[in-house]
Amino acid sequence: MNKVKVFAPATVANLNSGYDLLGLAIDYPGDEVVLTKKSSSGLVITKIEGDEGRLPLEAEKNCATVAIQAYLDYMNCKEGFEVEIHKKMPIGSGLGSSSASSVAGVFAANILLGEPLSKKELVQFAMQGEKIACGSAHADNVSPSLLGGIVSVSSYNPLQIHEIDFNLDLFVGVVHPDIEIKTADSRNVLPKSIPMEDVVKQTGYLSSLLLGLSQGNEEMISFGLQDVLVEPYRAKLIPAFVEIKKMALKMGAIGCGISGSGPSIFVMSKNKKIAENICNEIGKKFDSLNINSQSYCSAINKEGAKVVCEYK
């Protein structure tokens, strides 16, 4: 095989109580990367579509190729590739846009080299793409995009990633308003110190969420989808967020929160219809504020990165 097209899905990170630690994959949107072997070493980006000219074509500056190069260096491989990136999700959305590109690139390279590493082993290289995109190598987006499902990052040094078994059919709706919040800006609004009582409260929420997922307990999941550390500060960056969250919970959402660093808002529900209804109402709210939006609803994506097409 000399060429492959792969897809990496968007993700919802943090899940309220799991700041920088939890993430899940959704079916769509996502990014596609086409990787083609070339006769000489090195990486060349031949095309980027769907980015409105915002992403760099220089291989040393693009998160997808930085991730691929980190992988090739680790493998001591001199193979060269031509890279096409097809952005099929909004940039700066809080849905792991840079993560999806990084994941797709590394996953495609591993496929063309005969899959010497597992998906979980690829996380460390996709993180390097995240680092160049937002300044820090986080795993809460790249892990679920690669592995699918719900993933917990229990440690960064050493890196420890665990896939969480969950015993409920859970659906996720996401609404992305057409405003942009840079990850760096969303981090800057956070306080430099937090009261110990808030840490204890947040730890309780996280514990409830993890136990609720493993036991299939909807009430525990709902209780665990709360956040006293980050959401109160980032909520101010998203128009009508507090009102929207109250509406979502009243309409039957198990939980509602900010996806990653925002501005996308996610809802979790026990069936797709509830998620779709809530997303429709959130969209109407943004319409009333003269803000366009897009919505996506799916079950939790359990597959993660996948091959779309192989070429000989």
Side-chain angles (χ1 to χ4, degrees):
M1 197 194 323
N2 293 313
K3 182 178 179 181
V4 66
K5 178 192 286 188
V6 306
F7 171 82
T11 49
V12 174
N14 298 340
L15 302 184
N16 291 5
S17 57
Y19 179 64
D20 278 358
L21 301 177
L22 294 181
L24 60 80
I26 54 180
D27 285 340
Y28 58 92
D31 282 353
E32 288 181 350
V33 165
V34 179
L35 218 59
T36 306
K37 288 183 179 180
K38 61 188 186 75
S39 57
S40 58
S41 61
L43 302 174
V44 177
I45 300 175
T46 59
K47 180 191 297 184
I48 303 178
E49 293 183 339
D51 69 325
E52 300 178 342
R54 298 171 60 184
L55 299 179
L57 284 163
E58 298 91 342
E60 67 275 9
K61 296 180 181 180
N62 188 287
C63 60
T65 41
V66 166
I68 295 170
Q69 191 61 58
Y71 167 77
L72 294 176
D73 290 345
Y74 176 85
M75 298 298 295
N76 195 27
C77 176
K78 303 303 181 183
E79 191 78 66
F81 297 103
E82 293 181 351
V83 185
E84 294 181 23
I85 302 170
H86 301 272
K87 297 296 297 181
K88 296 181 177 293
M89 58 187 296
I91 297 171
S93 58
L95 297 175
S97 176
S98 58
S99 296
S101 292
S102 301
V103 164
V106 169
F107 181 69
N110 194 56
I111 293 292
L112 290 184
L113 293 187
E115 298 184 73
L117 300 183
S118 68
K119 279 186 172 182
K120 188 172 287 189
E121 290 174 313
L122 296 178
V123 169
Q124 59 185 310
F125 311 113
M127 288 172 63
Q128 296 309 305
E130 272 284 76
K131 185 175 182 178
I132 199 165
C134 64
S136 51
H138 293 286
D140 52 342
N141 285 111
V142 296
S143 298
S145 187
L146 260 169
L147 303 172
I150 304 175
V151 180
S152 169
V153 184
S154 58
S155 171
Y156 277 93
N157 188 22
L159 183 63
Q160 293 186 11
I161 297 163
H162 304 283
E163 298 163 81
I164 299 172
D165 291 328
F166 51 97
N167 298 316
L168 282 175
D169 289 329
L170 296 172
F171 291 82
V172 178
V174 175
V175 179
H176 170 243
D178 286 344
I179 59 175
E180 184 175 345
I181 301 174
K182 294 181 179 179
T183 300
D185 293 338
S186 70
R187 289 185 176 273
N188 287 337
V189 301
L190 302 181
K192 301 303 181 184
S193 61
I194 50 179
M196 180 61 70
E197 61 186 271
D198 285 347
V199 175
V200 174
K201 186 179 291 186
Q202 188 89 344
T203 304
Y205 292 149
L206 179 58
S207 175
S208 180
L209 176 56
L210 295 175
L211 287 171
L213 289 168
S214 65
Q215 297 177 11
N217 188 313
E218 183 182 320
E219 290 185 3
M220 292 180 71
I221 294 172
S222 182
F223 183 78
L225 286 170
Q226 299 188 70
D227 177 11
V228 295
L229 298 186
V230 176
E231 186 180 285
Y233 303 95
R234 288 183 171 173
K236 303 169 186 176
L237 302 176
I238 303 173
F241 173 78
V242 174
E243 181 182 346
I244 286 171
K245 180 168 184 173
K246 288 179 180 177
M247 177 183 68
L249 296 174
K250 188 175 181 180
M251 291 181 66
I254 296 173
C256 175
I258 300 170
S259 178
S261 58
S264 291
I265 297 170
F266 82 93
V267 296
M268 187 177 290
S269 68
K270 57 187 177 183
N271 66 62
K272 190 174 183 180
K273 187 64 176 176
I274 292 175
E276 289 175 338
N277 288 341
I278 295 171
C279 286
N280 286 337
E281 290 303 314
I282 295 174
K284 291 178 183 178
K285 180 60 183 178
F286 282 127
D287 285 343
S288 73
L289 299 172
N290 296 316
I291 298 173
N292 293 326
S293 64
Q294 303 84 43
S295 65
Y296 315 93
C297 291
S298 75
I300 294 174
N301 179 331
K302 296 182 180 181
E303 183 177 9
K306 64 180 181 180
V307 173
V308 175
C309 187
E310 298 177 351
Y311 308 82
K312 293 184 178 180

